[in-house]
Amino acid sequence: MRTETKKLDIRKVLAESEHLPTMPAVAKQLISLSEWDDIDLKVVAGIINKDISLSSKILRTVNSAFYALPHKISTLSQALVVLGLRATRSLTLSFCLAGMSSRGKAGRFDYSSFWTRSLNTAVAARELALVTGFRTDEEAFLAGLLQDIGIMVLGQCAPAVYQEIIELSAEGDVSLIDVEREHLGVDHVEVARLLFEKWNLPPQLCVPILYHHAPEKAERSDEETLLSIRIQNVAGHIGAWLYLSKSHGSSLEELKDIACRYLTISPKELEALLYRVDMRMEEIAGLFELNVERPNTYSGLLEKVQATLGDIVTDQERLLRELEASKIEAQKLAEQLRTANRLLLKEVRMDSLTGLANRQHFEDFLHRELNRSFRYNHSIALLFLDLDNLKSINDRYGHLEGSNSLRHCAEILKRQVRASDLVARYGGDEFVIALVETGGSDAMLAAERVRQCIAETPFVLTEGSEKMHLTASIGVTAWEPKMKPISMDVFLERADSAMYQAKRAGKNRISLS
């Protein structure tokens, strides 16, 4: 902290300070009366009538919309009969105590804001008392009004330090009580207890105030006292939420949870109660002659929430549109990427001249199918084909016509194989065909069919109309389930060797290895 702090001897401060708020004379007399249930109405009326301003306030309040009585009350005695003695005492004390301030300089403590928040809490406590059937709604009002009186005392005892304590609590999201204890060695609840002793306030008023921050610590109290404590706890949360724009006050959802947990008030009941608090605050502020500037009202907060929700919905709709556009764009890019990958994969696997599989792709396929045949005892065959007269075409007509003849042969081979088989250009004028689940005899038939088709299908030269005929020598090998597994290289060597046997035997024929 910027200001040096020291622990307060709060009893000494309360005893010696000349600037602390003092109990008005009328309030002292009312508190000193014992056995209120048996007291004479004239005695109470006589005490209150000593203060003309106070008498006027009580009559004005009784006849206001705050009570909404069917008939006008014209005398204080009538008011006492209608309100009852306990309610009159609480109302009178409320008027006496509300608006108390320092007898000296106010310092930095904001008395106006303090009493505005306290009045918020008091009105909320009265409404909660009416909803829950508490014995005296005016007693709940008075307790709510004095709920945080200790804050006012500390603000007067150590004005500079206490202002920093309030700021530290707000900035650090730490409870005010914890910061008070750390820097002053005392909290405002303890200060209130000592002040109430000094003022000689009755226990039924003090206990709910002293335990309202921690209702669970008063669980051994009787049911009526517990109800009063819980009313003050919920009222305190409502007061903080309605008054403080940036505080440790609860959110509306937290308020609903607290009200339901402590007082079994439903969310709908709480919302209706908050509307009534709004209306009652407008009425009661004038009666207490307080210049109330409320930073928040329930309806105002709802409007802010609705406006915020509207902004959120608008932003959400915009984000959804952007997300949808991004999704469409991503889908387009993904499709383009898939297409590019397919083309790239095709290029990697394909022979650019003939459009057949290339050597690498074929060997990957053959290796995989060989292993599958070994595993499941399926036959597999391999044809190794070499064009017999490609060199003469290249020499006589040029390499362009030689390339055309390779493409011509590739088209024939494509038509001669099944979808499960694979034909590839292995290199130069060599082609290979893998025939899955095919034995040696069927492979020989397939090879002969391929040889005849190549020999009998002429192709036309690019320039001129001359027709050329190609022939091929084909080596055949097969692996049958009765054989031992062999490597792919050995399998290829056998087919290649058979092809050379066909070449040596006169070309344009097939040979089995």
Side-chain angles (χ1 to χ4, degrees), residues 143-183:
L145 194 66
L146 297 179
Q147 197 178 98
D148 289 321
I149 192 73
I151 291 176
M152 185 179 73
V153 175
L154 288 175
Q156 181 58 40
C157 292
V161 173
Y162 199 70
Q163 183 61 36
E164 289 190 38
I165 286 174
I166 292 174
E167 292 170 0
L168 281 173
S169 174
E171 293 169 3
D173 197 27
V174 183
S175 75
L176 184 60
I177 286 179
D178 289 340
V179 183
E180 289 169 345
R181 289 171 181 166
E182 179 183 353
H183 294 284

Side-chain angles (χ1 to χ4, degrees), residues 162-408:
Y162 199 70
Q163 183 61 36
E164 289 190 38
I165 286 174
I166 292 174
E167 292 170 0
L168 281 173
S169 174
E171 293 169 3
D173 197 27
V174 183
S175 75
L176 184 60
I177 286 179
D178 289 340
V179 183
E180 289 169 345
R181 289 171 181 166
E182 179 183 353
H183 294 284
L184 298 177
V186 68
D187 60 62
H188 66 268
V189 175
E190 176 63 14
V191 172
R193 184 182 68 79
L194 296 173
L195 187 64
F196 293 160
E197 286 181 4
K198 184 177 180 180
W199 286 351
N200 198 30
L201 290 183
Q204 66 266 28
L205 184 63
C206 299
V207 172
I209 297 174
L210 299 178
Y211 285 97
H212 81 275
H213 282 301
E216 62 280 357
K217 292 183 179 180
E219 288 183 351
R220 295 184 180 180
S221 302
D222 60 83
E223 287 299 319
E224 194 72 13
T225 302
L226 275 176
L227 176 59
S228 181
I229 292 170
R230 290 167 181 166
I231 286 172
Q232 294 306 315
N233 176 273
V234 178
H237 282 93
I238 292 174
W241 185 68
L242 286 176
Y243 181 73
L244 299 178
S245 57
K246 183 179 180 182
S247 70
H248 301 296
S250 308
S251 69
L252 180 57
E253 291 306 312
E254 289 171 328
L255 272 182
K256 290 177 179 179
D257 178 67
I258 292 168
C260 181
R261 178 160 28 103
Y262 283 130
L263 300 175
T264 63
I265 293 176
S266 70
K268 289 291 184 184
E269 289 175 319
L270 180 66
E271 290 175 8
L273 183 143
L274 291 172
Y275 274 118
R276 292 198 300 275
V277 170
D278 268 0
M279 292 187 296
R280 299 287 185 265
M281 271 298 294
E282 298 298 327
E283 299 162 359
I284 202 69
L287 296 173
F288 275 74
E289 298 177 355
L290 289 175
N291 183 21
V292 173
E293 293 183 4
R294 301 166 68 199
N296 293 312
T297 63
Y298 179 57
S299 56
L301 286 170
L302 281 186
E303 287 177 5
K304 290 179 184 178
V305 170
Q306 289 169 353
T308 302
L309 285 176
D311 292 340
I312 291 172
V313 169
T314 301
D315 289 342
Q316 188 178 42
E317 289 174 348
R318 177 180 56 79
L319 289 172
L320 285 174
R321 288 194 298 270
E322 292 176 358
L323 181 62
E324 186 63 27
S326 299
K327 181 180 177 182
I328 292 171
E329 184 63 25
Q331 289 173 341
K332 289 180 180 178
L333 291 174
E335 183 57 35
Q336 291 173 3
L337 182 60
R338 283 193 292 270
T339 301
N341 284 336
R342 284 195 297 269
L343 292 173
L344 180 61
L345 185 61
K346 187 176 180 181
E347 288 181 7
V348 169
R349 293 178 170 184
M350 186 180 69
D351 174 64
S352 59
L353 177 63
T354 62
L356 298 176
N358 61 20
R359 179 170 180 164
Q360 182 61 53
H361 179 38
F362 181 82
E363 288 183 349
D364 291 341
F365 177 85
L366 183 61
H367 183 269
R368 185 171 61 252
E369 289 301 321
L370 261 177
N371 287 331
R372 192 172 70 87
S373 297
F374 300 156
R375 188 180 305 115
Y376 298 108
N377 285 323
H378 293 158
S379 300
I380 184 170
L382 176 62
L383 309 186
F384 205 116
L385 181 151
D386 183 86
L387 295 180
D388 293 326
N389 49 350
L390 181 64
K391 186 176 184 304
S392 62
I393 294 174
N394 283 332
D395 292 343
R396 183 176 178 182
Y397 299 104
H399 288 281
L400 179 60
E401 296 297 352
S403 296
N404 288 336
S405 66
L406 288 173
R407 283 191 283 267
H408 170 74

Side-chain angles (χ1 to χ4, degrees), residues 7 33 40 48 64 75 89 95 99 142 144 161 170 219 223 233 305 307 470 503:
K7 307 304 181 185
L33 294 175
D40 190 340
I48 297 173
S64 71
T75 67
R89 178 179 66 173
F95 278 122
L142 177 57
V161 173
E219 288 183 351
E223 287 299 319
N233 176 273
V305 170
L470 299 173
K503 287 273 191 188

Side-chain angles (χ1 to χ4, degrees), residues 109 228 508:
F109 189 77
S228 181
N508 191 24

